[in-house]
Amino acid sequence: MRVLIAGSGGLIGTALTGRLRESGHDVRRLVRRTARAEDERGWDPPSGRIDDGAFDGVDAVVNLCGAPLLPGRWSGMRKQQLLDSRVEPTEVLAEAVAEHGIGVLVNASAVGYYGNTGSTVVDENTKAGNGFLAEMCTEWEAATAAAANARVVSVRTGLVLARSGGLLDVLRPLFRFALGGRLGDGSQYMPWIALDDEIGALVHILEHDTLSGPVNLTGPIPIANAEFTKALGHAVHRPAPWWVPEIAMKIALGQAAEEMALFGQRAVPRKLEASGYAFRHRTVDSALAAAT
């Protein structure tokens, strides 16, 4: 296939580009500057401008655009920036997919769609929850509407565990200096996924036309924060005796701390497994061993 990727410079986009090329696919990258490499095409989502020929021969579009949710508090202005950085590019790409008759649009989303689910297991049939992230993900997924004639997949990604980048870049140094610990009471579920499986699942989705609609990209066994803390401490051979009180996190980061660290989703990849995808890392211990 010829695959056009927006957001190819991030953790997931970089790894996906490499894996697709290893698998024999042709990858083009949309960049928000003047294109300099043969595989690049320039675009500017706010104006809707995309270089001529960007969609020539393209079989599938993958959209991974979105400003980082952390660090920092979520002011009203920051929330609007986070929303715009996701919805605006999605609308532009969905319209282009429809205009050029492209058959597949794989669009990023997140498990934040489900809100705070406690210990309840949730899958792709579960309705949207409450909170800013749930509302943002709902608008993000709805922004693909123009591409209704294509096979549209909204990938609701969990917490990606990688050797470099992502969540572990923040946690690894703390744990290596024995400063790691659970967040709040530690009961909130963490829907983790190994980077290997995040990329493997995206390639699987592109290559298997049976998958459409929302698809959870999470490991098959989500665990609570307290269990994750113990597992990461074990992986880096350090104790993790501390805990961060809820009130301290809320004072420091406000709503961002609540929804990013104290909310949890016991999300499972029901549709992905039913389609035949075989996880490389089925347990968090396996994922952490590969990432640390």
Side-chain angles (χ1 to χ4, degrees):
M1 291 183 292
R2 173 171 288 173
V3 182
L4 181 66
I5 302 179
S8 63
L11 172 66
I12 295 171
T14 300
L16 179 61
T17 298
R19 183 77 63 84
L20 285 170
R21 286 175 173 162
E22 289 171 4
S23 300
H25 300 297
D26 178 25
V27 178
R28 287 183 180 175
R29 299 179 295 131
L30 282 177
V31 296
R32 301 194 195 200
R33 52 172 169 75
T34 301
R36 294 195 291 263
E38 185 178 348
D39 69 336
E40 293 180 346
R41 300 294 185 273
W43 76 318
D44 179 52
S47 68
R49 181 192 64 78
I50 304 177
D51 282 356
D52 291 342
F55 296 93
D56 290 353
V58 169
D59 301 294
V61 173
V62 178
N63 175 28
L64 303 172
C65 293
L69 295 169
L70 291 173
R73 299 176 71 91
W74 291 346
S75 64
M77 181 179 294
R78 180 60 178 158
K79 286 181 180 179
Q80 192 62 51
Q81 291 172 340
L82 293 172
L83 182 64
D84 290 346
S85 72
R86 289 161 171 78
V87 171
E88 195 170 60
T90 300
E91 290 176 338
V92 171
L93 289 174
E95 290 171 3
V97 164
E99 179 183 348
H100 295 275
I102 295 168
V104 183
L105 171 61
V106 178
N107 203 72
S109 185
V111 290
Y113 174 92
Y114 302 110
N116 187 19
T117 68
S119 61
T120 302
V121 175
V122 295
D123 64 16
E124 294 86 353
N125 292 318
T126 304
K127 294 181 179 179
N130 299 313
F132 169 67
L133 289 182
E135 293 170 2
M136 183 182 73
C137 289
T138 300
E139 290 193 45
W140 196 359
E141 294 182 15
T144 64
N149 291 331
R151 177 170 68 93
V152 177
V153 185
S154 295
V155 288
R156 295 174 180 166
T157 294
L159 301 166
V160 179
L161 305 181
R163 186 172 292 276
S164 177
L167 175 68
L168 292 183
D169 264 8
V170 178
L171 296 181
R172 195 183 289 109
L174 295 173
F175 277 71
R176 283 180 174 161
F177 285 100
L179 297 175
R182 61 181 169 85
L183 305 178
D185 67 9
S187 65
Q188 66 275 30
Y189 274 81
M190 298 182 65
W192 59 272
I193 184 169
L195 179 61
D196 273 353
D197 282 313
E198 173 77 11
I199 303 308
L202 287 169
V203 174
H204 177 85
I205 288 167
L206 286 167
E207 294 179 342
H208 292 75
D209 60 10
T210 57
L211 282 165
S212 62
V215 176
N216 289 344
L217 297 195
T218 61
I221 310 173
I223 61 173
N225 173 259
E227 296 175 78
F228 180 88
T229 298
K230 291 179 182 178
L232 181 52
H234 178 75
V236 298
H237 310 292
R238 293 290 188 275
W242 310 107
W243 69 284
V244 183
E246 287 188 23
I247 187 64
M249 298 180 68
K250 290 179 180 178
I251 290 172
L253 291 172
Q255 186 181 4
E258 185 173 43
E259 295 202 28
M260 291 293 294
L262 301 175
F263 279 13
Q265 300 85 26
R266 195 175 182 179
V268 295
R270 196 149 345 252
K271 286 175 69 172
L272 187 61
E273 289 202 291
S275 73
Y277 180 75
F279 277 86
R280 299 184 182 190
H281 302 285
R282 293 194 60 84
T283 67
V284 75
D285 290 327
S286 173
L288 289 172
T292 55

